[in-house]
Amino acid sequence: MALPNYRRVHLIAVGGSIMHNLALALHRQGVHVTGSDDEIFDPARTRLQQAGLLPEQMGWDAARITDELDAVIVGMHARPDNPELHRAQELGLRIFSFPEFIYEASKDKQRIVIGGSHGKTSITSIILHVLRHHGRKFDYAVGAQLEGFDLMVKLTDDAPIIIIEGDEYLSSPVDRRPKFHLYQHHIGVISGISWDHINVFPTEENYREQFAIFARMTPKAGVLIYDQDDEQAQLVSVPSNPDVKYVGYGPHEHVIKNGVTSLVTKKDELVPIQVFGEHNLRNLSAAKEVCKQLGIKGKDFYEAVATFKGAARRLELVKQGATSVVYKDFAHAPSKLKATSAALKKQYPQRRLIACLELHTFSSLNPDFLPQYEGTFDSPDVAVVYFNPQVLAHKRLPPLSDLQVAEAFHRADLRVFTDSRKLADFLQEQNWQNTNLLMMTSGTFDGIDLGKLASEVTNA
């Protein structure tokens, strides 16, 4: 690791999904790690506790910050007035955001950064799967838990490359730059651009500009890979630097038969895969282009992706029955909602599809953003939207009415629920013969037991 002088590191807001992974990764490298947070939930709590890194007391304490620390890393969950952050500033300690630290740790590596409003976790997952399948040495930083990887951050001395999921959200409470601007990529990917994070990027133009900056940051002899069918991605990725290689991609050629998608190779060979949907076929193409730049041949790519099961919570199979399947997905943004629901309907065209979306994020619950959902929930036979009014109050957003939500989606038969028990009752009352269920959220539908529900659906 390129941080020989950073042997004592303190993480403020250590309980975050990516921050606790960083803490564990540094601990494994022999760094003396301490951390703090005001609350830590599982799985982060248990994982930190097992490593001996769980703070003895929750909350912030400026006394934890001393001049013996070599570095302080601050997570997004912390506030600008955090007392530990203030103390670190007073002492003149080296303060990093998460992306700044990852860059410092990978200065001597080739950096591959996967950006985009949607698909970046899946593309990153595919690349990691292929590289590991073929025994390549690589470091990584990715936001979602992936099968076969116990940590989602890896920093080593000898890996020549690092694969980074490049989030466009802000770097830290005191650094308002998007994370993916700080990694300084050699190979960059823009999987598509669909306005999100309205609380940070108030207009579509402002949001798109962050990707334009990312594209312009591609260095001499660098590579920018982008979805050539995405109008916004095209706009920011127009070849403008003669010293940069621009690579456009589309959905991989494929066939669907009996609910199984197979990739069609240049030799017209069929490679059955375990994921499906046009968005995943685009993700596979993006990953294939990255792997090609890293020296992975086509036949080796196909050999590896045949065993790729998908990223956790991304169109993830919950349970399968004789005439029905239940999937869950992290989808919440309009583009993700449209792609995921259309994918499942296309995969099983003879079956009815009941799809439920939970509005849970700041953007999705914002009345000014809701119109972005128009026309994005047309694929399901039965479309359901759920939101909890208490979440609106917690996020200090104005109340939403059922009518507002229905009008925003522009679907007359949309069912809207604000009580999770009534939603559960509605689903249990459905006829599940030859019918699939899709549950989409970045939350939990306020405690609905998805495993129990899935058993009821698939045994109907």
Side-chain angles (χ1 to χ4, degrees):
M1 187 169 56
L3 293 168
N5 298 321
Y6 297 98
R7 307 315 300 168
R8 299 181 67 87
V9 176
H10 180 78
L11 287 81
I12 302 174
V14 72
S17 60
I18 195 71
M19 287 286 283
H20 90 273
N21 273 286
L22 175 59
L24 293 169
L26 292 175
H27 177 66
R28 288 190 182 181
Q29 286 295 326
V31 177
H32 183 274
V33 175
T34 56
S36 59
D37 215 320
D38 53 359
E39 53 183 1
I40 301 177
F41 302 104
D42 275 331
R45 184 180 186 88
T46 298
R47 298 178 83 194
L48 290 171
Q49 188 171 38
Q50 290 174 342
L53 300 180
L54 187 69
E56 292 184 6
Q57 290 184 329
M58 292 297 115
W60 316 112
D61 183 357
R64 291 183 174 122
I65 309 300
T66 71
D67 55 13
E68 293 182 354
L69 291 171
D70 298 311
V72 171
I73 306 170
V74 57
M76 267 304 298
H77 174 59
R79 296 181 179 276
D81 61 355
N82 184 285
E84 295 183 11
L85 175 59
H86 275 192
R87 181 59 177 157
Q89 292 168 332
E90 289 172 358
L91 291 175
L93 298 178
R94 186 68 190 273
I95 301 171
F96 294 96
S97 64
F98 173 84
E100 284 178 316
F101 191 86
I102 293 297
Y103 170 72
E104 283 291 319
S106 60
K107 275 183 176 178
D108 300 329
K109 303 177 187 291
Q110 184 183 30
R111 293 178 297 281
I112 298 91
V113 179
I114 316 301
S117 306
H118 43 256
K120 54 184 174 286
T121 299
S122 294
I123 294 169
T124 306
S125 304
I126 296 165
I127 296 167
L128 298 190
H129 179 84
V130 173
L131 293 175
R132 187 179 65 168
H133 181 89
H134 290 293
R136 297 282 291 270
K137 288 184 177 180
F138 60 95
D139 286 347
Y140 54 84
V142 56
Q145 185 63 45
L146 306 182
E147 183 177 347
F149 293 84
D150 60 340
L151 295 184
M152 295 327 303
V153 175
K154 184 179 182 182
L155 301 170
T156 63
D157 293 324
D158 56 347
I161 62 175
I162 183 169
I163 316 297
I164 304 169
E165 180 183 356
D167 191 355
E168 70 272 20
Y169 202 67
L170 302 181
S171 297
S172 83
V174 291
D175 188 342
R176 308 290 289 179
R177 291 174 294 174
K179 291 188 182 87
F180 69 164
H181 289 178
L182 303 184
Y183 297 122
Q184 300 189 37
H185 63 277
H186 300 103
I187 299 174
V189 174
I190 299 179
S191 64
I193 301 173
S194 180
W195 185 29
D196 200 358
H197 306 310
I198 189 175
N199 53 321
V200 177
F201 309 111
T203 66
E204 290 186 66
E205 293 75 18
N206 178 246
Y207 182 73
R208 184 176 63 237
E209 177 59 21
Q210 310 315 311
F211 290 90
I213 293 169
F214 176 77
R216 292 194 296 268
M217 292 179 72
T218 308
K220 185 175 182 178
V223 182
L224 184 67
I225 299 167
Y226 64 97
D227 186 337
Q228 63 190 11
D229 299 320
D230 185 291
E231 183 178 344
Q232 300 298 313
Q234 273 188 330
L235 197 60
V236 304
S237 305
V238 172
S240 56
N241 185 341
D243 297 322
V244 169
K245 182 178 181 180
Y246 297 86
V247 180
Y249 68 87
H252 198 292
E253 188 178 352
H254 64 285
V255 295
I256 302 173
K257 188 175 181 180
N258 298 326
V260 176
T261 298
S262 296
L263 303 180
V264 180
T265 72
K266 289 183 178 180
K267 295 181 180 180
D268 289 330
E269 296 171 341
L270 296 182
V271 180
I273 56 174
Q274 300 180 48
V275 297
F276 61 87
E278 182 179 307
H279 63 302
N280 273 323
L281 292 162
R282 291 183 183 277
N283 295 337
L284 283 160
S285 288
K288 186 172 183 290
E289 293 295 345
V290 171
C291 289
K292 181 180 178 181
Q293 300 300 322
L294 298 177
I296 301 289
K297 295 180 180 179
K299 65 180 181 62
D300 294 327
F301 178 82
Y302 293 123
E303 176 190 305
V305 297
T307 59
F308 177 69
K309 296 180 180 179
R313 300 179 70 190
R314 269 67 175 181
L315 203 48
E316 180 181 338
L317 177 65
V318 179
K319 200 168 183 63
Q320 183 166 3
T323 65
S324 59
V325 293
V326 178
Y327 277 88
K328 64 179 179 180
D329 194 277
F330 194 67
H332 50 82
S335 59
K336 298 175 184 177
L337 168 66
K338 184 176 182 178
T340 301
S341 56
L344 193 54
K345 184 62 181 176
K346 186 176 180 181
Q347 194 74 1
Y348 299 92
Q350 307 88 356
R351 294 184 186 177
R352 203 166 60 116
L353 174 61
I354 298 177
C356 302
L357 168 70
E358 179 180 14
L359 301 178
H360 185 72
T361 65
F362 185 94
S363 292
S364 68
L365 290 165
N366 192 311
D368 293 332
F369 186 80
L370 268 178
Q372 300 295 318
Y373 284 98
E374 181 176 346
T376 62
F377 213 11
D378 294 344
S379 294
D381 299 280
V382 178
V384 180
V385 172
Y386 168 77
F387 69 93
N388 185 339
Q390 292 181 350
V391 175
L392 284 159
H394 178 72
K395 295 181 184 293
R396 298 179 182 177
L397 287 166
L400 278 179
S401 69
D402 294 7
L403 182 61
Q404 275 178 288
V405 173
E407 288 179 344
F409 281 81
H410 206 68
R411 178 166 173 162
D413 64 345
L414 184 75
R415 298 295 302 263
V416 180
F417 290 89
T418 56
D419 185 324
S420 62
R421 290 170 297 181
K422 291 182 178 179
L423 170 59
D425 291 342
F426 170 79
L427 293 174
Q428 288 166 350
E429 291 165 1
Q430 300 305 302
N431 179 0
W432 292 104
Q433 289 295 319
N434 208 36
T435 301
N436 294 334
L437 174 62
L438 173 61
M439 303 290 281
M440 295 172 287
T441 182
S442 58
T444 64
F445 285 97
D446 289 310
I448 287 182
D449 188 335
L450 185 54
K452 180 182 177 184
L453 176 62
S455 294
E456 294 171 354
V457 168
T458 54
N459 291 330

